[in-house]
Amino acid sequence: MSKTTDFAILVVAAGRGSRAGPGVPKQYRPLAGKPLIAWTLSTLLKAAPTARLKAAIHRDDLTAYERAVADLETADLERLLPPAFGGELRQDSVRLGLEALAQEDPPGIVLIHDGARPFVSAELLARAHDAASRHGAAVPGLPLTDTVKQVDATTRIIATPRRETLRSVQTPQAFAFDLILAAHRKAAQAGQTGLTDDAAIAEWAGHAVYVFEGERENMKITDTQDFARAEARLLRELPDVRTGQGFDIHALGPGDHVWIGGVKIPHDHSLVGHSDADVLLHAITDAVLGALGDGDIGSHFPPSDPQWRGAASSIFLTAALGKLRARGGMLAHVDAMLIGERPKIGPYRDAIRASVAKIAGVSETRVAVKATTSERLGSLGREEGIAALAIATVRLPTGD
Ligand code: MG
């Protein structure tokens, strides 16, 4: 028997998001430094501190999902249940998510929320919970400001519905768990597929569904313009811009490749170091730590510690960026510079840039990778080593 005080939020994120353009599904696309789905989940975890969360995701997106949630605060992660794999239609994904909740520990109330609505507020979630307790089925809605026309196939207007009777509805849609699970099962069994939201499923199953007050701010991010609007809004909340610098140098020794920015480059020598000696990632890591005023790479990952022997240096940068995200910040830009005679970086520059952007979880437009020789002067000119410089710019919320 489920407890009516207990509630869960099912986040629907299994779609392919084709309206936002080609590439990764929109819920995994970077938005102000972290994937859209990470914003939605972290907002929900903070705004509903007693709720359990489950995401319904596409099976192909499991790795992207795991990366997206890796930086959520550890205390919050306890309330994030393993994801459910969705189906072909949104309706299937919701039903499969509900079935997974039913098998694990069914809640009294479930809120079903779009993964692409990151601006949901604590007040809206409280109203949703309250409305579900009172009515069993309720959705947030807004009065229309524009007059709505019904048109035929030739675009001729055939009706003007009275605006006062209309609402545009959003998510989270809020239900008694048993009611909406039964309605979804019934619709699936009946082969009823044309229903575009969960309210419609409940209506179809014969339940009274009520509208409570939604929020204009609770926008759904659908196309590239929405991404730009949402990013501008999130950036306003990160006004404290800081920079940090990093420098690193590693000697060249025997070997047949070097690691630069997470890319393995064939060479007649290798860089010598305790980890994989990725001089570029070390410089960038120090730049990020510098911007945070939080020690340096050696203080966080002492070379004396055997666990870093041969380690992929991406873990250092990932950890430094984890500290940044834990403070609610984002990486705004990295400008990195390699200094050495050989190997020639030009043919690998795009791959290095893409690799750094991927490790950092930001778009490539936020990463610059440059290279120069030292004109055969000094130790670098004699090919005794390779050096790297980096400047990281970060944005933080106002505060300390
Ligand atoms: Mg180093």
Side-chain angles (χ1 to χ4, degrees), residues 91-117:
Q91 185 180 332
D92 301 325
S93 300
V94 173
R95 189 185 74 257
L96 293 166
L98 294 172
E99 293 286 6
L101 282 168
Q103 271 182 18
E104 287 159 8
D105 184 11
I109 282 171
V110 65
L111 310 186
I112 302 171
H113 189 61
D114 292 331
R117 290 188 194 264

Side-chain angles (χ1 to χ4, degrees), residues 247-250 272-275 277-283 297 313 316:
F247 169 78
D248 197 25
I249 186 164
H250 281 263
V272 181
H274 193 69
S275 63
D278 190 325
V279 66
L280 189 72
L281 290 185
H282 293 183
I297 191 169
S313 295
F316 306 140

